Amino acid sequence: MTHDGFNKTGLIKHEASWSKQSLRQIAHRWQIPLWLLKRILSPRFPNERPVPRPTMPEDTHQRLKDHYAQGLTATQSWRSFLDDHDTWLTLSAVTQLYLSFQDSTSIKPRRTN
């Protein structure tokens, strides 16, 4: 969004920070819908998605993939990393990765009964 060569969203945010006008008046002045003004003033605008977290190293990912293929559960794999490796992972990160492995058809876990 540009306005006469300027970043329109930046101008709107700047005006809203010092203006004593209501949001409805600011939206009318800039000729944008009120919902768009609220979105522009949101701290996460323009990207509504959360900020991506750092990716895990490839060797860690491969070790987790190997653990999954060996039939270890997410908790067992996580405990292995805490006990045997100098890598710190959250259980939720390991679980989320295991769920993505389940969706993948290329990795099949070994059944241990």
Side-chain angles (χ1 to χ4, degrees):
M1 288 173 66
T2 58
H3 178 71
D4 296 328
F6 291 100
N7 178 351
K8 190 172 179 180
T9 58
L11 293 172
I12 292 170
K13 283 184 176 190
H14 179 71
E15 180 179 325
S17 70
W18 58 263
S19 177
K20 298 204 184 297
Q21 293 180 326
S22 70
L23 292 180
R24 195 175 305 277
Q25 290 170 322
I26 294 171
H28 186 326
R29 176 175 154 18
W30 285 95
Q31 299 176 353
I32 59 173
L34 184 58
W35 66 266
L36 180 58
L37 177 64
K38 288 179 181 179
R39 181 174 268 176
I40 289 171
L41 297 178
S42 161
R44 290 174 26 176
F45 182 82
N47 190 355
E48 289 294 322
R49 294 186 204 130
V51 177
R53 295 186 178 189
T55 58
M56 80 176 46
E58 184 61 35
D59 62 324
T60 302
H61 186 271
Q62 186 59 48
R63 272 193 228 136
L64 286 170
K65 193 185 281 188
D66 293 343
H67 285 180
Y68 179 79
Q70 293 168 9
L72 272 67
T73 65
T75 304
Q76 290 170 331
S77 185
W78 175 69
R79 285 187 180 143
S80 170
F81 267 88
L82 291 180
D83 296 341
D84 304 333
H85 306 287
D86 59 351
T87 305
W88 187 85
L89 297 170
T90 63
L91 179 56
S92 63
V94 175
T95 303
Q96 190 173 26
L97 193 56
Y98 263 59
L99 291 173
S100 73
F101 291 155
Q102 284 178 350
D103 294 338
S104 171
T105 58
S106 63
I107 308 168
K108 298 291 182 199
R110 244 188 333 171
R111 298 288 174 210
T112 55
N113 289 351

